[in-house]
Amino acid sequence: MTMTGKPTLAVVGATGAVGAVMLQILSQHADIWGEIRLIASPRSVGRKLAVRGEEVEVVALSEEAFDGVDIAMFDVPDEVAAQWAPIAVARGVVVVDNSAAFRLDPEVPLVVPEVNPHAVRTRPRGIIANPNCTTLTMIVALGALHAEFGLRELVVSSYQAVSGAGRAGVDALRAQLSLVAGTELGTKPGDVRRAVGEDTGPFPEPVALNVVPWAGSLREDGWSSEEMKVRDEARKILGLPQLPVAVTCVRVPVITTHSLTVHARFQGEVTVDRAREILATAPGVVLCDDPAAGEFPTPADVVGTDPTWVGRLRRALDDPTALELFVCGDNLRKGAALNTAQIAELVASEFC
Amino acid sequence: MTMTGKPTLAVVGATGAVGAVMLQILSQHADIWGEIRLIASPRSVGRKLAVRGEEVEVVALSEEAFDGVDIAMFDVPDEVAAQWAPIAVARGVVVVDNSAAFRLDPEVPLVVPEVNPHAVRTRPRGIIANPNCTTLTMIVALGALHAEFGLRELVVSSYQAVSGAGRAGVDALRAQLSLVAGTELGTKPGDVRRAVGEDTGPFPEPVALNVVPWAGSLREDGWSSEEMKVRDEARKILGLPQLPVAVTCVRVPVITTHSLTVHARFQGEVTVDRAREILATAPGVVLCDDPAAGEFPTPADVVGTDPTWVGRLRRALDDPTALELFVCGDNLRKGAALNTAQIAELVASEFC
């Protein structure tokens, strides 16, 4: 805590794709924090990054780097978080972690402030986890609908942006687009693959002029880690440990903003009118749904914004208990940095 | 019928995106037909198109153009098909129509040769309809699974290529890609839209660096015509008029080859092993499913090929009666020209 009475924040992993967005968000929410300390791996030490209009020098990740810190936001690989979050906690820091390392730990709350804000208070390990970006794309809207209708089943398909794989994902798509734009590629088997060459970046196939039904690593029975995260995390956040969730995750050639189609089945009959009322007034949700006027969300319009955008709301024609939705959310903002910042602000309010 | 004893074929709408693929396919299946007559709108008359290694001159659509024709394949807009198919039939022609004009007519069979070949024989109006490309992307694989397991429900999301909207769709994506490649676009709200400008071609929003949750025209209660086609046509082809089908159609920046995620629920418990056996041996299906080896279908590999490619086969974790699939098919080949040619060949066999 600084002399101002405002808590000291550390940003661990300040130099990545999510870190860059985090510094923007911290600049927009400027009056929450006292000192903001930027921490990164040794190779970034000494770099200066702008936050709240000031240049702040990056310091190396070390035990001492956490001295005097009240809250730390981690955006680092799982294994770095697994090692360093407990070290920070031992120094008296509350950690908000955006890796997968702790999300399913029963002693670590998994928090979306619009859905389960009170969960932040019970954190026996001193750690609060931030959900995966794909889960976060849908969970605010689903939380609002669940509160009224009672969720019974989810079938989800994703249209995931390349920045979900970090700066390397963005670089790969941009490089591939430069190779395919202005050509006749995309009409013969393998022509895009030959043009792109062996280096497809962090993706197993070319992503320009293509969609790739894979994200993450292989889990049991052919499921991807990304698909398992959406199922496990949605269940934990909503407090529905038995909720049936079927997910297929697909990468698309979009820079930033994940989209999902959601088939959501509820306990009883639902109406579109009531669902519209709920979504139109739910905090953090924008209902953008007037197809007669050409209105539905797309990543090109949603990128750079904070809310969850919901469109194409329909009741299933053959099941009066089910709704269809198309949902978009900026995977670097609400999908990562913003939700982490919101959790940290919930904790910060305890310091006042 | 020509002197060779082989039937005479007319291709109506020979100059479009599907027509071009049709001429390739007719060249590959060269020994089925006697004369092949190319028919198009008056503005294309006199153009010469290559089929079976010969240049054939396009003739104008007229009543007389059908004289001596045994079978005509129509790939023209709905209203042109609605007007001209009955005229051709009155001249003694069997019409195979790829428009939506007759697909739901109870006196017109809707045929996928791998699924319901016998339906071609009962055609009281002399017309056989070819399904929509999105329906065709999944229906061969689903037909095979249904024959064994008994289908009970479908939840489908599409990743549809721009050539589903014809040459104009391809031109629009190529023009947009030239504007966005080599830029930093795709990171700020509306930046892609501003770069692309007002002319988004046949799509309601830019499709480069974007996905657009809309295809077709608006139907009741917010459904798109494309979504209704998938539901209505799947029910008719499978002979399951009450099948619950929930579909969301989304356009993606891919030139050719539609992809679908399918959540298919069956009458009883299913196993992945048996489903793999069925799909591995089903005519017209290629099982491409070994994620440990990085094997799953993508449009970049599937484009230009005939089969339905199935990957990411999993049993739903929370429902032993449901399977998840990711399916790809070339929307101009099996999705349009190839299936039409296959139907025409079934009819041609009656002439032998």
Side-chain angles (χ1 to χ4, degrees), chain A residues 3-85:
Chain A
M3 305 253 290
T4 62
K6 293 180 179 175
T8 292
L9 176 73
V11 180
V12 184
T15 57
V18 172
V21 174
M22 181 62 84
L23 299 188
Q24 288 172 24
I25 289 171
L26 291 173
S27 300
Q28 289 158 356
H29 303 207
D31 59 348
I32 308 287
W33 305 104
E35 182 191 346
I36 295 181
R37 195 173 301 175
L38 306 185
I39 300 177
S41 64
R43 67 187 158 83
S44 296
V45 169
R47 273 183 68 186
K48 288 186 176 170
L49 299 174
V51 56
R52 298 187 296 191
E54 292 168 24
E55 297 284 299
V56 177
E57 192 168 315
V58 174
V59 302
L61 180 58
S62 69
E63 295 191 28
E64 296 70 29
F66 293 103
D67 286 345
V69 170
D70 297 296
I71 301 171
M73 307 193 301
F74 276 61
D75 192 77
V76 295
D78 295 356
E79 62 279 12
V80 179
Q83 181 187 348
W84 284 92

Side-chain angles (χ1 to χ4, degrees), chain A residues 91-106:
Chain A
R91 296 242 160 186
V93 178
V94 177
V95 170
V96 184
D97 179 41
N98 189 32
S99 84
F102 301 101
R103 287 183 189 142
L104 301 184
D105 184 326

Side-chain angles (χ1 to χ4, degrees), chain A residues 28 31 39 52 92 109 115 121 150 155 204 228 235 278 287 346:
Chain A
Q28 289 158 356
D31 59 348
I39 300 177
R52 298 187 296 191
V115 181
R121 297 193 193 150
V155 181
M228 296 303 294
R235 289 172 152 195
I278 293 165
L287 183 65
L346 279 180

Side-chain angles (χ1 to χ4, degrees), chain A residues 197-221:
Chain A
E198 289 300 306
D199 182 8
T200 53
F203 310 116
E205 301 283 334
V207 71
L209 294 180
N210 207 16
V211 300
V212 181
W214 192 260
S217 53
L218 181 60
R219 292 289 179 269
E220 277 182 33
D221 298 324

Side-chain angles (χ1 to χ4, degrees), chain B residues 145-345:
Chain B
L145 293 169
H146 169 58
E148 171 101 2
F149 295 134
L151 201 54
R152 199 167 55 145
E153 185 181 11
L154 288 174
V155 181
V156 177
S157 296
S158 78
Y159 302 68
Q160 297 190 224
V162 295
S163 65
R167 287 188 197 280
V170 175
D171 292 345
L173 175 56
R174 292 213 195 278
Q176 292 172 23
L177 283 180
S178 293
L179 293 169
V180 304
T183 71
E184 296 293 307
L185 292 165
T187 58
K188 296 196 181 73
D191 63 356
V192 168
R193 182 196 291 267
R194 283 187 293 276
V196 165
E198 288 300 306
D199 182 8
T200 53
F203 310 115
E205 300 284 334
V207 71
L209 293 181
N210 207 16
V211 300
V212 181
W214 192 259
S217 53
L218 181 61
R219 293 287 178 268
E220 278 180 32
D221 299 325
W223 294 87
S224 73
S225 55
E226 188 83 355
E227 290 156 354
M228 295 303 294
K229 286 176 186 176
V230 174
R231 173 170 173 264
D232 294 340
E233 296 177 16
R235 289 171 153 198
K236 182 167 176 176
I237 296 161
L238 297 169
L240 296 170
Q242 306 299 322
L243 184 71
V245 184
V247 191
T248 300
C249 287
V250 180
R251 191 76 63 180
V252 297
V254 165
I255 300 291
T256 294
T257 292
H258 289 352
S259 307
L260 304 178
T261 60
V262 180
H263 173 82
R265 207 155 55 91
F266 298 93
Q267 296 293 343
E269 201 160 312
V270 296
T271 69
V272 166
D273 285 349
R274 182 68 191 124
R276 293 179 74 94
E277 284 173 9
I278 293 165
L279 293 169
T281 55
V285 176
V286 173
L287 183 65
C288 172
D289 185 28
D290 185 357
E295 281 189 14
F296 31 74
T298 77
D301 290 327
V302 166
V303 60
T305 70
D306 287 346
T308 298
W309 295 68
V310 181
R312 301 300 325 280
L313 180 64
R314 292 148 291 155
R315 192 168 83 168
L317 290 163
D318 308 305
D319 181 353
T321 73
L323 292 172
E324 315 299 326
L325 303 87
F326 182 81
V327 186
C328 292
D330 185 316
N331 52 298
L332 301 180
R333 294 183 73 88
K334 184 62 181 177
L338 176 64
N339 199 70
T340 304
Q342 288 176 299
I343 295 171
E345 289 174 18

